[in-house]
Amino acid sequence: QVQLVESGGGLAQAGGSLRLSCAASGRTFSNYAMGWFRQAPGKEREFVATIVRSGSIRRYLDSVKGRFTISRDNAENTMYLQMNSLKPEDTAVYYCAATSLALTSSSRDYDYWGQGTQVTVSP
């Protein structure tokens, strides 16, 4: 089992920044690729970004490329999502997740999920 806890959500103005963290415990963090997903009210959960076990390769949703950066610190068992140039359409609950597969954007491939953290971006 892997336990995941997100933090760092909150309220930001358009153009502002937030940094989300995902703290992992349980099984060895570095054994898992990690991802961020988000779900806005009335919408399906969507992929945001993923990072491989070593942190050397990342992939992003097109709409966040150049604005969001996913990273991880395996020594600290923590993953991050730096979100810059935020837009109102980024408003959602953000979830971190762990998978044994690499570079997958499908939520069905992720085995462990955090409880989510709310991000709200005002115009």
Side-chain angles (χ1 to χ4, degrees):
Q1 290 285 339
V2 176
Q3 292 78 43
L4 302 172
V5 179
E6 303 95 337
S7 61
L11 177 65
Q13 290 187 329
S17 299
L18 286 172
R19 188 193 195 201
L20 305 184
S21 298
C22 173
S25 61
R27 293 188 175 179
T28 305
F29 178 67
S30 58
N31 285 347
Y32 296 89
M34 299 295 294
W36 287 100
F37 290 78
R38 66 186 182 187
Q39 188 166 19
K43 294 188 177 181
E44 297 283 324
R45 187 172 298 189
E46 71 173 348
F47 164 79
V48 175
T50 185
I51 187 168
V52 298
R53 297 168 189 171
S54 66
S56 61
I57 304 174
R58 309 157 189 187
R59 285 192 179 161
Y60 296 93
L61 175 70
D62 283 348
S63 63
V64 307
K65 284 181 181 177
R67 300 189 298 120
F68 290 11
T69 302
I70 187 173
S71 62
R72 65 189 294 164
D73 184 339
N74 288 341
E76 295 295 328
N77 295 336
T78 305
M79 175 180 66
Y80 303 97
L81 186 68
Q82 179 66 44
M83 305 187 294
N84 298 329
S85 302
L86 283 163
K87 302 176 180 180
E89 50 262 45
D90 295 320
T91 295
V93 177
Y94 283 71
Y95 299 89
C96 68
T99 177
S100 57
L101 303 176
L103 297 176
T104 176
S105 60
S106 172
S107 61
R108 291 174 291 184
D109 291 332
Y110 287 77
D111 304 304
Y112 304 102
W113 292 83
Q115 82 289 349
T117 186
Q118 177 71 48
V119 171
T120 303
V121 183
S122 62

